[in-house]
Amino acid sequence: MKIGFVGAGNMACAIIGGILDRGVVDSEEVRATDVLPEARRHAAERFEIEVGGDNAALASWADVLVLAVKPQFLESAVREVRDHLSEGELVISIAAGKSLMWLEDAFGRPVPLIRVMPNTPALIGDGVSGLCANRYTDARQRAIADRIFESVGTGYWLSEKMVDVAGVVAGCTPAFAAIFIEALSDAAVAEGMPRTQATDIAARAVAGSAELVVQTGKHPAVLKDMVTSPGGTTIEGVQVLEEGGLRSTVMHAVRAAVSKTRQL
């Protein structure tokens, strides 16, 4: 199975690294393109794959074509590849906001299409991806997408509307969590702790808390109650967070990001 990547940026490289590390394909079965010479050089040296600048040639070569470009460049990328796809070639788009209907209109003919919204923890093999497919895909092609995106984390098949939501929740969370970790670290520094130690403790505490939700399957409220002793320190801090509107602010942030995604 030959997999081509239009775009060799961070997310494309995360996926390439995952499929090679997990043995989904061999390096000679992966090629990529990019408009930037530095990106081409980096991907070629890191993965020992062929990287060029001809999107049409890549589309002719590949069995699976991954469109790993930003939304504003997707239309031009589709124009370059659409007349060079082989019959039944699977196209996967990871561009935010561009719907299956938009992609079908851009290709102008029946093409098996899968939309995927991955997030940046895919860079360390711990990503979360939402997937949806159009009516021209079959079970084999959906299984291929599973293998590709499970090589960099966990994938969820969803309705297209929910893919947008999952893409925002998963995609924005690294930024939101980084702000939260930085705030925790700032507070510890204000109390006299060295910055490096403060950030490490905060980051590990957040990561461990997230894993606790996943591993136990318990509702987050239950896990919160486990550490909020009557008259204790944690409930004192929780009250301050509630007074500051943490929940409402996070909900507004997610819904604003979903709205923005649908405008792309």
Side-chain angles (χ1 to χ4, degrees), residues 8-9 29 45 60 71 85-86 88 90 108 121 125 128 163 167 177-178 186 188 193 195 218 221-223 233:
E29 297 175 290
E45 292 175 355
S60 296
L85 300 174
S86 58
L90 174 62
V128 175
V163 163
D186 284 346
M193 184 179 290
R195 170 66 69 181
K218 294 182 183 296
V222 173
L223 297 175
T233 56

Side-chain angles (χ1 to χ4, degrees), residues 208-220:
S209 301
E211 192 61 25
L212 195 61
V213 174
V214 173
Q215 293 292 336
T216 65
K218 294 182 183 296
H219 192 285

Side-chain angles (χ1 to χ4, degrees), residues 58-75:
L58 182 70
S60 296
W61 171 85
D63 300 313
V64 178
L65 190 68
V66 181
L67 301 176
V69 297
K70 295 184 183 299
Q72 61 266 38
F73 304 125
L74 187 59
E75 186 172 3

Side-chain angles (χ1 to χ4, degrees), residues 2 9 15-16 19 37 60 75 77 79 83 111-112 132 152 155 161 163 171 208 218 231 238 241 246 259 261 263:
K2 297 176 291 187
I15 299 167
I16 293 169
I19 60 178
S60 296
E75 186 172 3
R79 279 200 306 268
D83 295 327
V111 173
C132 62
V152 292
K161 182 178 180 180
V163 163
K218 294 182 183 296
V238 168
L241 292 177
L246 177 67
S259 177
T261 293
Q263 295 171 22

Side-chain angles (χ1 to χ4, degrees), residues 19-57:
I19 60 178
L20 293 179
D21 289 345
R22 296 289 185 92
V24 176
V25 290
D26 297 324
S27 58
E28 58 267 23
E29 297 175 290
V30 179
R31 294 182 185 177
T33 58
D34 203 281
V35 296
L36 300 176
E38 180 59 31
R40 293 198 295 267
R41 183 165 56 253
H42 171 74
E45 292 175 355
R46 178 179 173 186
F47 302 114
E48 298 183 346
I49 62 173
E50 183 177 320
V51 186
D54 190 337
N55 292 337

Side-chain angles (χ1 to χ4, degrees), residues 30-159:
V30 179
R31 294 182 185 177
T33 58
D34 203 281
V35 296
L36 300 176
E38 180 59 31
R40 293 198 295 267
R41 183 165 56 253
H42 171 74
E45 292 175 355
R46 178 179 173 186
F47 302 114
E48 298 183 346
I49 62 173
E50 183 177 320
V51 186
D54 190 337
N55 292 337
L58 182 70
S60 296
W61 171 85
D63 300 313
V64 178
L65 190 68
V66 181
L67 301 176
V69 297
K70 295 184 183 299
Q72 61 266 38
F73 304 125
L74 187 59
E75 186 172 3
S76 61
V78 170
R79 279 200 306 268
E80 292 175 19
V81 304
R82 63 187 175 191
D83 295 327
H84 302 277
L85 300 174
S86 58
E87 185 67 27
E89 182 171 340
L90 174 62
V91 177
I92 298 174
S93 170
I94 64 171
K98 298 301 186 184
S99 68
L100 291 171
M101 182 178 293
W102 185 97
L103 286 162
E104 288 179 356
D105 288 345
F107 278 100
R109 62 185 176 89
V111 173
L113 294 166
I114 293 178
R115 271 192 70 204
V116 185
M117 286 288 93
N119 68 347
T120 55
L123 293 165
I124 58 170
D126 201 20
V128 175
S129 301
L131 301 89
C132 62
N134 74 350
R135 62 191 181 279
Y136 302 117
T137 59
D138 57 30
R140 180 187 64 86
Q141 291 167 325
R142 291 190 290 274
I144 289 170
D146 275 334
R147 291 179 65 200
I148 291 173
F149 290 93
E150 286 176 0
S151 74
V152 292
T154 305
Y156 297 88
W157 287 97
L158 304 163
S159 68

